[in-house]
Amino acid sequence: MDGETGDGQQEAGLTTGEVARRLGVAPTTVRSWDRRYGLGPAGRVGGRHRRWTPADVALLERMCALTATGVPPAEAARLAQDRTRPSAPPRQPEPGDPPGRPAAASGRAHAGMRLGDARQECRGLARAALRLDAAALDELLNTAVETYGLVDAWHEILMPTLQAVGRKWESSGERYVEVEHFLSWHIACALRRAAPPVANGRPGGLVLLACVPGENHTLPLEALSAALAQRRIAVRMFGAALPVEALIEAVRRTGPAVVGLWAQSRTTASQPLAQHVAGMRWGVRGSRRQAAVMTLGPGWAGKPVGGTLRPPGLAEAVDAVEARVHG
């Protein structure tokens, strides 16, 4: 909560860790900027503990904005400390810039992305992603998942940040593609780190997760897989664009309690495929089993599939799977 746990602490300012989370950098980066460039706070509590005032944080925010444009850290520190200068220097036009766009306006586009009223953690993640700062991004992601829990972190922090990056990409002439890929990969890694190993589970207690053919958006399934692992539910993840024949064979081989089919686009959401999987039965005669099918993702919107589950979000999907596996 930005370090404001009481009037005394609010007056004292933020700790280095709180400032780092707000800015989207590692605490070691903040300390390094203090040591190398004199960007540290003047105030201390009890003569020992460093506390950052709003003015101190504003200085670091200018430093972050400048380094995000590619300004070397030493020069960025000098410019940040000179309040008479603009927060970011104009850059020269680059190949691929729309003709006629002023260089200064183009430079401002690098300084950050609009996140509306999203959590402060979103801004930190976005800044780290824009700088392609792997260490800071991993630290911020781990902290978000540990602090809020995987499901809440996904809904309130990770997804809003991904959506902001997507909007930035769409509104800037398809730039920042590398940022989107970079952020997605690190989020996937954080989700896997948060997932404990789970034993094979009892027969019929597995969950099979796959993207439908032609669908490559696996990240929401990564989140579901990790959340189920935290509930000690065994998952078999098949990832992107699983061919129809392979999906059917995987269902037959694993005998799952639940099959989750993700479709991001309406063009990939196949009602006949979902109905076919929902109708599959296997096992010995007289004791045949059947999986519950969950249609997941925005591609299924407006495409009701009889006999399937349609949870609206990650939390509901986890609860539905748990009820089916343990019910």
Side-chain angles (χ1 to χ4, degrees), residues 39-318:
L39 298 182
R44 292 177 182 266
V45 176
R48 295 180 297 108
H49 302 292
R50 306 173 70 78
R51 291 293 185 268
W52 300 75
T53 67
D56 296 326
V57 175
L59 186 66
L60 292 183
E61 286 175 339
R62 288 195 293 274
M63 177 75 171
C64 287
L66 289 160
T67 56
T69 70
V71 177
E75 177 66 7
R78 185 181 67 79
L79 293 172
Q81 289 171 310
D82 185 353
R83 293 175 180 270
T84 64
R85 292 179 180 267
S87 60
R91 67 172 177 85
Q92 296 301 314
E94 297 177 4
D97 281 350
R101 184 172 63 179
S106 179
R108 286 195 300 271
H110 287 271
M113 59 183 64
R114 299 184 59 171
L115 290 168
D117 297 326
R119 289 178 179 270
Q120 189 66 49
E121 288 87 343
C122 296
R123 292 182 172 87
L125 285 174
R127 292 186 182 111
L130 281 168
R131 291 195 307 276
L132 304 182
D133 188 335
L137 196 54
D138 284 341
E139 182 173 342
L140 291 166
L141 289 167
N142 291 341
T143 299
V145 172
E146 291 169 4
T147 302
Y148 299 101
L150 192 150
V151 173
D152 286 346
W154 173 259
H155 281 300
E156 303 296 334
I157 300 172
L158 308 187
M159 276 301 297
T161 306
L162 282 166
Q163 289 164 356
V165 171
R167 290 194 297 271
K168 189 71 174 177
W169 171 68
E170 292 174 355
S171 65
S172 59
E174 297 190 0
R175 300 177 62 179
Y176 301 100
V177 174
E178 76 284 0
V179 175
E180 187 173 22
H181 282 248
F182 182 76
L183 178 60
S184 297
W185 188 85
H186 279 271
I187 288 177
C189 291
L191 293 170
R192 292 173 191 176
R193 287 193 298 270
V198 180
N200 283 338
R202 62 179 176 81
L206 291 175
V207 176
L208 187 155
L209 300 177
C211 290
V212 298
E215 183 58 68
N216 293 306
H217 290 77
T218 63
L219 203 53
L221 283 188
E222 296 269 11
L224 178 55
S225 177
L228 292 174
Q230 290 189 341
R231 301 279 184 99
R232 314 307 299 178
I233 295 173
V235 176
R236 296 295 178 269
M237 165 68 89
F238 291 88
L242 187 64
V244 172
E245 298 80 3
L247 172 62
I248 292 171
E249 183 62 21
V251 171
R252 288 194 178 122
R253 289 183 61 187
T254 61
V258 180
V259 176
L261 299 177
W262 179 271
Q264 183 77 15
S265 167
R266 289 176 59 85
T267 60
T268 60
S270 170
Q271 291 171 307
L273 174 61
Q275 289 170 337
H276 180 79
V277 175
M280 289 178 61
R281 299 177 67 86
W282 58 88
V284 298
R285 183 173 298 179
S287 183
R288 292 187 178 275
R289 293 181 287 122
Q290 194 170 10
V293 172
M294 292 195 309
T295 51
L296 305 168
W300 298 102
K303 285 189 171 185
V305 181
T308 66
L309 306 174
R310 178 81 174 107
L314 177 59
E316 294 82 1
V318 173

